[in-house]
Amino acid sequence: MTILYIDGDACPVREEVYRVADRLALKVFVVANGSRPLRPTGRPNVEMITVPDGPDVADDWIADQIAAGDVCITTDIPLAARCLAKGAKALSSRGHHWTEDNIGTALAGRAVAEHLRSFGANTRGPDGLTKEDRSKFLAALDAAINAARKPTARRLMVPPGGF
């Protein structure tokens, strides 16, 4: 069964995820450190996980728990890469699907931005989400869940000359 993991420290689309999870009867883990307290949702399928404060502690928890067939919602590119390595799907809060084909470029771009910031450059990301962004996210989340739920196709190995 597909489980949804939310990197909860700075996720602006939690409510959208909750609604989709309710509709599809999916379990959701919202993982964050105590710096931004999470309010319980009252939903039986949503569990709030508070991890100790520290760099990447929430990311480590998600990466340790996530499995193939699950979906992670995160804007953290290294976490997305770790989820993909475990066979899970990864999706940004703007509806961008992280894939094996694009994660390397994203990691490289992140490294360049960090380097520029070390010289004082402003590499601030985009402004808050618009209604259109939220709509795009919901469509992408449905697509990610559907893709995660599909069993991986097994190749039929036919020996040379047939059976």
Side-chain angles (χ1 to χ4, degrees):
M1 176 169 179
T2 297
I3 298 172
L4 305 178
Y5 291 86
I6 299 175
D7 184 3
D9 286 327
C11 182
V13 291
R14 282 187 286 239
E15 288 299 323
E16 288 84 350
V17 175
Y18 301 156
R19 287 195 309 269
V20 170
D22 289 347
R23 179 173 45 90
L24 299 174
L26 298 176
K27 177 76 176 167
V28 178
F29 288 103
V30 182
V31 186
N33 64 33
S35 67
R36 294 183 186 167
L38 298 172
R39 288 181 286 165
T41 66
R43 291 172 158 94
N45 60 325
V46 177
E47 189 173 336
M48 304 298 188
I49 305 293
T50 302
V51 298
D53 206 10
D56 299 325
V57 177
D59 298 355
D60 292 343
W61 192 95
I62 292 170
D64 288 345
Q65 301 298 315
I66 202 162
D70 294 337
V71 178
C72 179
I73 295 90
T74 184
T75 56
D76 186 293
I77 298 167
L79 174 58
R82 293 170 71 184
C83 293
L84 292 173
K86 292 192 78 178
K89 304 294 180 193
L91 182 66
S92 79
S93 58
R94 291 189 178 272
H96 178 75
H97 291 273
W98 302 112
T99 67
E100 294 295 332
D101 292 336
N102 66 23
I103 198 70
T105 302
L107 287 166
R110 181 181 182 273
V112 168
E114 282 180 358
H115 182 71
L116 292 172
R117 281 191 298 275
S118 74
F119 289 104
N122 180 1
T123 60
R124 189 175 150 259
D127 293 331
L129 295 181
T130 65
K131 188 175 182 179
E132 292 79 21
D133 291 330
R134 291 179 188 281
S135 179
K136 179 182 174 187
F137 170 78
L138 284 169
L141 180 59
D142 275 337
I145 291 168
N146 288 333
R149 288 177 150 180
K150 285 184 183 177
T152 55
R154 293 186 182 168
R155 292 184 183 181
L156 178 60
M157 299 301 288
V158 179
F163 287 102

